[in-house]
Amino acid sequence: MDSIFRIPYIQTLAKIDLTAVNYKAKSDFLEKLLKEKPGVNSPKTKKIMLILGSSRLLYFDYDELVSFYPDWEIYNLSSAVTTPAYYDFQLTKILDAGIKPDLVIMETDPNQFNQNSVFKSSNLTYSFDLGYVLSNLSLFGKDHVSFYLGRKLFAVGTYKPYLDQMWKNYKNPYLDNVLGMHKSTYDYIISHNGNGLSPIDNYMEKDSNALLLTSHRTLDWLFASYQRSNMQFGFYEKILNRLQEEKIKAVIVWPLSSPDFESLMEKESLVKTWETEIDSITKDHNYSILKLKHDPSYNCNAFADGGHVAKDCYRSLMRSILLEYFRRYEPNRL
């Protein structure tokens, strides 16, 4: 019976949103990257940039990156609702394969260090492999390892057999459109170096009340039961240690949200506590965090919702990241 819920079509009926599709595409894209081994199996003709982030770094325009930054081959391994554990998994696979990025862009954010986040139902459900989980048993802990094994052994752990909802999805007159969107999203990620296909494309929210409302909703969702995650801080330090050992240049970026969301964040004492700790750890490893809210070179003010910039702002985002790269590592070229 459980095997039925390993059939892709049945999985779609059980879980119709794009979460599983995005993670599947990122997993397959990572495998494609590991097989091709850019700079290892073939001569390196361009610098390699690796982007590790959440949905806030997912939707760079691939064609614009190719056009604006011809000296770089940019691989985007970002996905929705991610954590340092997810970044470490990808970075470990890349470096162990002998691929040496010239620059790693890594997102950081206080929610990624929340023990009560949706880590289990996102990263732990849709990513990692058994070897990686077991080799990091001391960081994951028995609870997360047991959860991981349960989800991998039994498909119904992820794709809940709620027959009434599956029937509604089956009878949905727009089901074919949904399936088409799933395929388009998957194909786009694979063929565009991991950059995502935005479901809202160039939309930007122009209603200030809507931005305030989604800011409150996002904050309540992210921080309602916040508790510091020793595990995620452990993975964060593991990443920085590996980057140091391999002498890899890195820009760690704290993305910008809408002014309403940023104002709400400023009032949260847990955010200030996290910022002090993360700054200290990062500095101890000879790196620093690019905080876009304080970066004068970042000058875009368009948002898709309270927590996400509009796609139009990705141009300014990459420009700020690369300016920071040149300031730190190649100041003579500025």
Side-chain angles (χ1 to χ4, degrees):
M1 182 65 72
D2 187 72
S3 297
I4 294 174
F5 287 85
R6 297 188 185 279
I7 300 170
Y9 182 73
I10 300 298
Q11 289 180 342
T12 300
L13 294 182
K15 190 181 284 287
I16 206 166
D17 62 57
L18 284 167
T19 303
V21 178
N22 274 298
Y23 274 102
K24 171 64 174 169
K26 281 300 158 78
S27 177
D28 290 350
F29 177 70
L30 177 61
E31 289 302 316
K32 177 174 179 280
L33 202 55
L34 297 176
K35 186 178 293 185
E36 293 175 352
K37 291 187 179 181
V40 180
N41 289 342
S42 57
K44 184 187 285 187
T45 58
K46 296 183 178 182
K47 292 180 180 178
I48 294 175
M49 182 192 301
L50 191 65
I51 302 176
L52 306 171
S54 71
S55 56
R56 298 197 289 177
L57 294 185
L58 178 57
Y59 299 111
F60 287 100
D61 188 300
Y62 172 76
D63 294 326
E64 285 188 355
L65 293 179
V66 171
S67 176
F68 294 170
Y69 307 105
D71 296 336
W72 292 90
E73 193 69 58
I74 301 172
Y75 301 106
N76 193 339
L77 292 173
S78 305
S79 195
V81 195
T82 48
T83 61
Y86 184 71
Y87 306 152
D88 181 67
F89 169 68
Q90 295 169 314
L91 185 64
T92 298
K93 293 289 185 182
I94 293 288
L95 297 181
D96 286 354
I99 302 169
K100 186 74 177 286
D102 297 279
L103 176 61
V104 169
I105 308 301
M106 183 173 71
E107 179 184 337
T108 194
D109 179 273
N111 180 60
Q112 296 178 4
F113 297 81
N114 181 5
Q115 184 172 308
N116 296 317
S117 71
V118 293
F119 170 71
K120 281 185 173 181
S121 59
S122 58
N123 296 174
L124 200 57
T125 294
Y126 296 109
S127 56
F128 307 132
D129 58 37
L130 182 60
Y132 176 80
V133 170
L134 294 179
S135 65
N136 290 281
L137 181 59
S138 61
L139 282 172
F140 278 114
K142 289 186 293 183
D143 177 56
H144 285 109
V145 172
S146 296
F147 183 92
Y148 172 83
L149 291 174
R151 287 293 170 96
K152 293 302 177 184
L153 289 172
F154 302 103
V156 292
T158 301
Y159 300 95
K160 306 294 184 183
Y162 299 139
L163 299 184
D164 57 338
Q165 185 59 52
M166 291 177 66
W167 179 251
K168 287 179 183 177
N169 290 337
Y170 177 72
K171 299 297 289 183
N172 187 330
Y174 301 106
L175 180 60
D176 286 343
N177 294 343
V178 171
L179 294 174
M181 185 63 183
H182 283 199
K183 185 178 187 307
S184 297
T185 299
Y186 178 90
D187 291 345
Y188 189 93
I189 288 172
I190 296 295
S191 61
H192 289 75
N193 274 11
N195 292 286
L197 177 64
S198 174
I200 56 174
D201 200 24
N202 293 314
Y203 172 80
M204 63 180 69
E205 181 59 71
K206 298 177 182 178
D207 186 336
S208 60
N209 289 327
L211 285 176
L212 180 59
L213 181 62
T214 54
S215 294
H216 276 287
R217 284 178 178 171
T218 302
L219 193 77
D220 291 343
W221 173 58
L222 295 180
F223 297 116
S225 56
Y226 193 95
Q227 185 176 346
R228 182 188 184 280
S229 172
N230 293 329
M231 177 184 68
Q232 298 299 350
F233 273 100
F235 277 112
Y236 185 78
E237 290 199 65
K238 185 171 181 277
I239 292 169
L240 296 185
N241 285 332
R242 186 71 187 270
L243 291 173
Q244 260 192 317
E245 289 169 7
E246 302 276 352
K247 296 181 171 58
I248 294 174
K249 300 177 179 69
V251 173
I252 302 163
V253 58
W254 185 2
L256 188 68
S257 298
S258 70
D260 290 323
F261 190 84
E262 294 293 338
S263 296
L264 292 171
M265 291 267 281
E266 286 291 329
K267 298 174 184 176
E268 294 287 339
S269 59
L270 63 90
V271 174
K272 294 182 176 67
T273 302
W274 169 84
E275 187 173 0
T276 300
E277 184 174 7
I278 207 73
D279 281 342
S280 176
I281 294 170
T282 308
K283 186 178 180 181
D284 286 345
H285 290 81
N286 297 318
Y287 292 106
S288 59
I289 298 174
L290 172 63
K291 301 172 184 178
L292 289 182
K293 61 184 177 181
H294 300 315
D295 183 20
S297 65
Y298 182 82
N299 57 6
C300 192
N301 195 35
F303 301 93
D305 59 39
H308 295 82
V309 296
K311 189 177 177 182
D312 188 56
C313 287
Y314 276 73
R315 301 183 183 101
S316 185
L317 174 56
M318 182 56 77
R319 185 166 58 248
S320 292
I321 287 171
L322 283 176
L323 279 172
E324 183 70 5
Y325 164 79
F326 284 114
R327 280 194 293 264
R328 292 185 196 175
Y329 302 112
E330 297 185 36
N332 58 308
R333 294 187 61 185
L334 286 175

